[in-house]
Amino acid sequence: RNYRNELAPRISIRRNINESFAVKTTVSRGFSPPTVSELLPSTGVISTGLEAEYGWNYELAASHGFLKNKLKIEATGYYFRLNNALVQRRDLSGADYFVNAGNVQQKGLELQADYWQAFNRGFTDNLILQAGYTYSHYRYGSFIKGTDDFSGKTVPSVPSNTFSLMVDWQLRTGFYINSTYYTASRIFLNDANTAAADPYHLLGARLGWKKTWKKKYKLNFYAGADNLLDESYSLGNDINAAANRFYNAAPRRNYYAGLSLQWLKDIKK
């Protein structure tokens, strides 16, 4: 089986309105032939009938800096029409295989905010805050497989809404605190949209202490916890799994601790 060469142009235009505000638009075409793992999946049957994915993507982004660019906010909207989308399926034996799904229309909005502040006095050395929100409206266009018509259905495995937040607080004494939060809305698990994973919220935190001696030795001791809210959720879903075996159980609330020692040696030429 041969896949012919394809053009993949990309045109991007950026306009700086002023020192802190910029707008960028991008139009591009992508082409992706099936990978080796998709052509020869775990079923052991070579999928010579798979077609390559291709499509056009349109993006519009705007970024703005506030507080002397210590706070940066970026918003991106996009529309991507993907043809011959490769969709994963799983047979009764648990083996994966792939099929082409007609076309997929992907619309979305991404918001990102980053804040960084260094302090010249006081007990705080620096503070970093990062937040991100994603809205995804992914729908099948024309997708008919056998007697099943999935046209207009939500593409499985992609949550409609996600939000993440990260806080990194570094003290002059060497102590630091990291905390992360992530949430995702309901996730459909099959093409028919008859099964879905519930929304979940993940909260993690780490407390540590770092020390450097003579610019050669670094000690880092830390302890933390994951899934502080003790959520029941699936860590990696098997999409379109046979017999509804979609879920992979994730750990409940768990704890960890660690110690690292680094020796930094100058290498003279």
Side-chain angles (χ1 to χ4, degrees):
R1 174 68 192 275
N2 294 322
Y3 293 95
R4 64 179 183 273
N5 294 327
E6 295 280 348
L7 292 175
R10 183 178 186 273
I11 301 174
S12 183
I13 300 175
R14 177 185 173 94
R15 174 67 185 275
N16 294 324
I17 307 302
N18 53 45
E19 293 183 355
S20 59
F21 181 54
V23 178
K24 183 176 70 173
T25 182
T26 302
V27 178
S28 60
R29 184 183 188 275
F31 170 77
S32 177
T35 63
V36 173
S37 61
E38 291 167 341
L39 289 172
L40 183 57
S42 54
T43 59
V45 179
I46 299 177
S47 304
T48 57
L50 288 183
E51 299 293 341
E53 299 177 314
Y54 70 93
W56 285 92
N57 183 58
Y58 306 89
E59 289 186 18
L60 179 62
S63 59
H64 198 294
F66 301 89
L67 304 176
K68 297 181 180 181
N69 284 329
K70 294 178 181 178
L71 173 62
K72 295 182 179 180
I73 298 178
E74 182 173 351
T76 302
Y78 64 89
Y79 171 73
F80 180 45
R81 180 182 173 88
L82 180 64
N83 297 283
N84 293 333
L86 291 169
V87 178
Q88 177 182 342
R89 292 183 175 276
R90 177 162 292 191
D91 62 18
L92 290 173
S93 67
D96 296 327
Y97 66 99
F98 298 84
V99 298
N100 289 111
N103 64 76
V104 175
Q105 298 179 19
Q106 301 178 0
K107 306 173 186 177
L109 175 66
E110 297 177 351
L111 301 176
Q112 180 71 31
D114 297 275
Y115 176 78
W116 178 82
Q117 173 70 59
F119 297 87
N120 296 324
R121 61 183 65 181
F123 60 89
T124 298
D125 186 21
N126 61 74
L127 177 66
I128 299 175
L129 301 173
Q130 293 180 335
Y133 169 75
T134 300
Y135 170 71
S136 303
H137 186 274
Y138 290 11
R139 298 293 186 272
Y140 285 125
S142 175
F143 181 24
I144 299 176
K145 182 172 178 58
T147 59
D148 297 321
D149 186 355
F150 302 123
S151 302
K153 296 289 187 180
T154 299
V155 177
S157 79
V158 182
S160 297
N161 298 274
T162 66
F163 176 77
S164 63
L165 178 65
M166 187 277 290
V167 179
D168 190 350
W169 185 20
Q170 179 75 50
L171 305 182
R172 296 190 186 280
T173 57
F175 286 97
Y176 64 89
I177 299 174
N178 304 128
S179 183
T180 59
Y181 170 75
Y182 175 81
T183 182
S185 61
R186 180 181 60 169
I187 303 173
F188 285 112
L189 302 174
N190 56 11
D191 294 328
N193 294 170
T194 56
D198 294 330
Y200 61 92
H201 305 266
L202 297 180
L203 178 63
R206 172 188 288 190
L207 174 65
W209 179 75
K210 294 188 292 187
K211 181 69 175 180
T212 302
W213 290 280
K214 300 180 181 180
K215 298 182 179 180
K216 290 185 177 181
Y217 309 101
K218 287 187 177 181
L219 177 68
N220 183 16
F221 173 74
Y222 56 89
D226 287 325
N227 194 7
L228 282 169
L229 302 178
D230 203 25
E231 288 275 79
S232 296
Y233 71 103
S234 176
L235 185 62
N237 300 294
D238 294 329
I239 305 303
N240 290 312
N244 295 332
R245 298 194 298 250
F246 304 112
Y247 305 100
N248 294 292
R252 301 292 293 267
R253 184 184 296 116
N254 58 94
Y255 308 90
Y256 61 89
L259 176 66
S260 68
L261 178 63
Q262 291 179 291
W263 176 33
L264 307 178
K265 184 177 181 181
D266 294 332
I267 300 177
K268 297 181 179 180
K269 296 182 180 180

